[in-house]
Amino acid sequence: LVVVQACFETVMYIALFMWTPTLSASAQELFGIGTPPPYGLIFSLLMACLMLGSLVFQILTSSLTDGQGNPVPPSPHFLLRMNKAICACAAVACMITATMGMVNHWTGLGALLCFEFSVGMYYPAIGSLRGKFVPRESRGLVMHASKTLLAVLVLIMLLNFASMASIVFMFCAMLLGVCWFCLYSAGGELSAESATPQV
């Protein structure tokens, strides 16, 4: 879970730094050289997608019921599947941004909006997963370890490759692939544990 949090949040912080140069480069043909894109409107759209993602997570988890129609909390399997889907969606958005974001303004903007929607779903999903798997006394250590790894990864990428947005977003897609693999491995371990008969 430390690796998943560190990698996903690294991508989130990198995207936060890189969305303006990425969209500025592609907007020159659309708005004219020297004319910046409407940053305020774009930022508002990004934050709206973030909120929408969180709302969609709430709707999905509140619609879970048992056989009699009573609401039930999401199972660990459900949360793992949802987190894997979030990572996959975010990785695709980063790959689209890396390949076409600097060339086509609308494609780059759409990919960044999709990524922000994924981030909106990520926070409640990973919080629920942390509540299921990490004991209360270890949560502070997990958060501290993930933030330390996050800071190192963000600094390495931004200090060395900030001028090469395509490389940065491809690296982000690879980090999200690492997240997906870690979640996939955790799902396999969880399935093996649930299949083991209790003595």
Side-chain angles (χ1 to χ4, degrees):
L1 203 53
V2 170
V3 174
V4 172
Q5 281 187 250
C7 289
F8 196 100
E9 292 178 25
T10 295
V11 173
M12 184 189 71
Y13 282 110
I14 289 172
L16 182 68
F17 281 106
M18 296 299 295
W19 74 268
T20 48
T22 302
L23 292 181
S24 294
S26 64
Q28 288 189 6
E29 288 182 28
L30 190 63
F31 298 109
I33 295 175
T35 306
Y39 291 125
L41 179 62
I42 293 170
F43 185 75
S44 299
L45 288 171
L46 292 171
M47 292 303 104
C49 284
L50 185 80
M51 187 180 69
L52 186 62
S54 183
L55 183 64
V56 167
F57 177 85
Q58 182 182 4
I59 291 169
L60 287 174
T61 55
S62 65
S63 65
L64 298 173
T65 58
D66 60 10
Q68 299 167 344
N70 299 322
V72 294
S75 69
H77 289 287
F78 175 83
L79 290 170
L80 281 169
R81 281 193 306 269
M82 181 172 282
N83 274 290
K84 284 192 291 189
I86 291 167
C87 286
C89 178
V92 168
C94 283
M95 284 191 287
I96 291 170
T97 304
T99 55
M100 298 168 58
M102 301 286 284
V103 179
N104 187 316
H105 181 74
W106 300 114
T107 305
L109 178 59
L112 287 169
L113 292 174
C114 179
F115 176 76
E116 283 297 317
F117 178 82
S118 301
V119 171
M121 288 189 76
Y122 162 80
Y123 272 110
I126 202 73
S128 300
L129 205 56
R130 193 171 43 241
K132 297 266 187 198
F133 287 111
V134 180
R136 186 178 303 273
E137 59 274 3
S138 302
R139 287 184 194 158
L141 179 63
V142 168
M143 293 299 291
H144 182 68
S146 68
K147 296 297 181 194
T148 303
L149 183 56
L150 173 149
V152 169
L153 289 171
V154 169
L155 286 173
I156 287 171
M157 282 309 294
L158 292 179
L159 291 176
N160 293 308
F161 301 105
S163 61
M164 298 176 268
S166 295
I167 292 173
V168 169
F169 279 109
M170 275 300 181
F171 177 75
C172 289
M174 288 190 309
L175 281 178
L176 290 166
V178 170
C179 289
W180 190 92
F181 179 75
C182 289
L183 290 166
Y184 180 80
S185 299
E189 290 174 15
L190 186 64
S191 297
E193 285 177 17
S194 59
T196 305
Q198 299 294 323
V199 179

